[in-house]
Amino acid sequence: MTRSEHIRALLEEYAQQRMADEADQDARLEEAARRDPEIARLREEQADLALRTMRQILALDTREARVDAAQRMRQRGIANNAEIRRRLAALGLPGDYLEMRYRCPVCRDTGYVGDAPSRFCECFEARLRARQHEDGSMAGVDEQCFERFDLMRFPEADGQRDRMAVARKICEAYADGFPDTRYRNLLLTGAGGLGKTFLLNCIYARVVDRGGSAVRITAFRMFEAMRRQHMGEDAAGEGFRSLLDAPLLLIDDLGTEPMMRNITVEYLFTLLNERIAAKRHTVVATNLSPVQLQERYGERVSSRLLDRAVCGAIQLKGKDLRTL
C-alpha cells in the first residue's frame, strides 16, 4: 500500500473510533437520564445555548461584542455543568461521567492537531509508521504543486488524460486569477485515486505562492472546528470563524467527516451559506456524486455546493492511479 492508502485507511479507523466514543457516551447519558431526567434536559439546554450563541456571534460586528456574548454563554454553561455534576454526585457517579472518553485526549481521536491548516497528531503518525513498516512501504510524498504535475501519469484510455488536462487548466487558471475568478467556488468530484486532492493542493500552493491568503483543511478537521464551536470549547468562536472568514477555503475529502446530530449538517450549511453571502472563495474535493451529496447532507447543503451561479464543477473519471 502507498502512504496515501495507509492514511485513508487509518482515517477510517479513527472515524470508527469516534463513532465508538460517541456510542459509549450516549449509553452513559441514557443511563444517567433514566435515573434523573433533569440531567438530559440540562444537556439539551447546553447544546441549544451553544447554537443560539453561535448565531448571535456571527451577527455581531466587533470582536469585543463576540467575546462578551461568548462570556455570557460560558457563565450560563458553567452553571449548568455545576448542576449536572451535583446531580451525578447524588446518583453516586463521578463528575466526568458524561464526558467523552478518548483513546487519545490530544487529538480527541480525530488524528489531527493544531489550527487550520492542521497536522497529524503524534498518535496518528506513530500508527502510520507502524502500518507502513508492517506493509514494507515507506514511500515519501513529493510536494504537490502545478510545477510537479505530470500528465503522463494519467492513462490515455477513455480520455482520462485529456479530462485531467482540462481539469488542470481550469484549476491553474482559478489559482492564477484568484480572487478574480470566473466562478468563486470549485467542486472536484470523482472516485478515489483520480487526483482530486493533488489538484486541490496545487491550487493552495499557487495561491499562497502568489501572496494570497488561503486555508486548506480536511473534512475531519473542519468537523472538529464545528464540534468545538457547538460544545462551547472555542469560547470566542475563532476556530470556526477562521473558516468563515478565509479569503480562500479548500476542503478536502468532504463526506469522510463524522455525522453528528445538530452539528455536521447544520454547521456545514452555515459555513457554505455565509461564505457565499460574503462572496468568499471555496474549493471542495469529494468522492461523493451530486446525488450522494444530496442524500448525505440534504437539499439545503447540496444546493449550495452545486449552485451553478457561483460554482464550477469538475468531475474526474477513469482508473485509480494507485492501482496502475
Side-chain angles (χ1 to χ4, degrees):
M1 295 175 67
T2 66
R3 174 183 168 87
S4 295
E5 289 171 328
H6 280 300
I7 288 175
R8 291 181 182 277
L10 198 50
L11 285 174
E12 180 61 28
E13 289 182 19
Y14 271 68
Q16 294 297 322
Q17 180 61 43
R18 275 302 296 260
M19 291 176 63
D21 295 340
E22 292 162 10
D24 178 60
Q25 183 189 39
D26 287 345
R28 285 181 275 113
L29 176 58
E30 183 177 347
E31 177 192 355
R34 178 178 55 80
R35 298 172 63 183
D36 184 350
E38 181 64 11
I39 290 177
R41 190 197 68 77
L42 287 168
R43 294 273 297 186
E44 291 177 1
E45 182 179 319
Q46 288 287 77
D48 290 341
L49 176 65
L51 187 57
R52 289 199 307 271
T53 304
M54 185 272 290
R55 290 171 177 163
Q56 180 183 356
I57 287 174
L58 294 178
L60 296 173
D61 295 329
T62 67
R63 175 181 171 82
E64 290 75 16
R66 295 196 297 270
V67 172
D68 182 63
Q71 185 61 33
R72 290 197 301 272
M73 182 201 76
R74 180 178 176 81
Q75 292 172 352
R76 178 69 176 275
I78 290 174
N80 279 0
N81 283 335
E83 177 62 14
I84 290 172
R85 286 176 176 269
R86 187 189 69 78
R87 289 178 175 273
L88 288 173
L91 297 176
L93 299 173
D96 63 352
Y97 184 71
L98 301 181
E99 301 300 318
M100 289 283 281
R101 295 173 180 173
Y102 301 108
R103 181 171 55 186
C104 176
V106 177
C107 71
R108 300 174 183 267
D109 293 345
T110 65
Y112 293 95
V113 294
D115 295 329
S118 59
R119 65 184 187 280
F120 289 133
C121 181
E122 289 185 8
C123 73
F124 188 94
E125 292 284 8
R127 294 184 65 188
L128 179 59
R129 288 193 297 270
R131 286 178 62 97
Q132 290 176 313
H133 279 300
E134 291 170 2
D135 184 61
S137 60
M138 290 293 290
V141 178
D142 292 332
E143 182 181 0
Q144 296 186 350
C145 58
F146 287 116
E147 289 74 16
R148 294 178 180 267
F149 197 107
D150 182 9
L151 276 175
M152 294 302 105
R153 289 197 59 202
F154 298 86
E156 287 187 285
D158 299 323
Q160 184 171 354
R161 184 179 298 171
D162 290 340
R163 283 193 296 272
M164 180 50 71
V166 172
R168 171 185 173 168
K169 182 177 180 180
I170 293 172
C171 291
E172 193 163 14
Y174 181 91
D176 287 338
F178 177 82
D180 300 318
T181 58
R182 178 180 178 184
Y183 295 103
R184 284 198 302 275
N185 300 342
L186 282 182
L187 177 66
L188 309 176
T189 65
L194 298 180
K196 298 185 303 299
T197 295
F198 193 99
L199 285 172
L200 183 140
N201 288 339
C202 287
I203 294 173
Y204 174 79
R206 178 63 61 83
V207 169
V208 171
D209 285 347
R210 295 180 64 248
S213 179
V215 170
R216 182 207 178 280
I217 195 168
T218 65
F220 273 88
R221 186 58 184 165
M222 175 191 70
F223 165 80
E224 183 63 9
M226 295 172 174
R227 186 198 65 78
R228 285 175 54 81
Q229 173 70 45
H230 186 74
M231 300 304 292
E233 297 174 9
D234 184 12
E238 296 301 327
F240 185 61
R241 177 157 289 279
S242 71
L243 304 184
L244 287 166
D245 293 344
L248 172 60
L249 176 65
L250 304 100
I251 305 170
D252 192 24
D253 274 341
L254 185 72
T256 62
E257 74 284 352
M259 292 292 284
M260 184 177 288
R261 293 187 301 272
N262 300 322
I263 296 181
T264 307
V265 173
E266 290 80 357
Y267 279 75
L268 180 57
F269 171 78
T270 297
L271 177 63
L272 296 173
N273 198 54
E274 292 289 329
R275 289 187 62 80
I276 290 173
K279 297 184 178 180
R280 296 193 174 98
H281 290 64
T282 307
V283 179
V284 175
T286 179
N287 287 5
L288 302 180
S289 68
V291 172
Q292 291 170 326
L293 287 170
Q294 183 169 356
E295 290 174 348
R296 179 176 173 87
Y297 300 112
E299 178 63 29
R300 292 201 309 162
V301 171
S302 63
S303 67
R304 268 65 180 179
L305 287 168
L306 303 169
D307 185 352
R308 293 184 178 182
V310 296
C311 183
I314 300 175
Q315 184 179 16
L316 300 182
K317 299 179 181 179
K319 294 182 178 180
D320 188 336
L321 300 181
R322 297 167 299 187
T323 66
L324 300 178

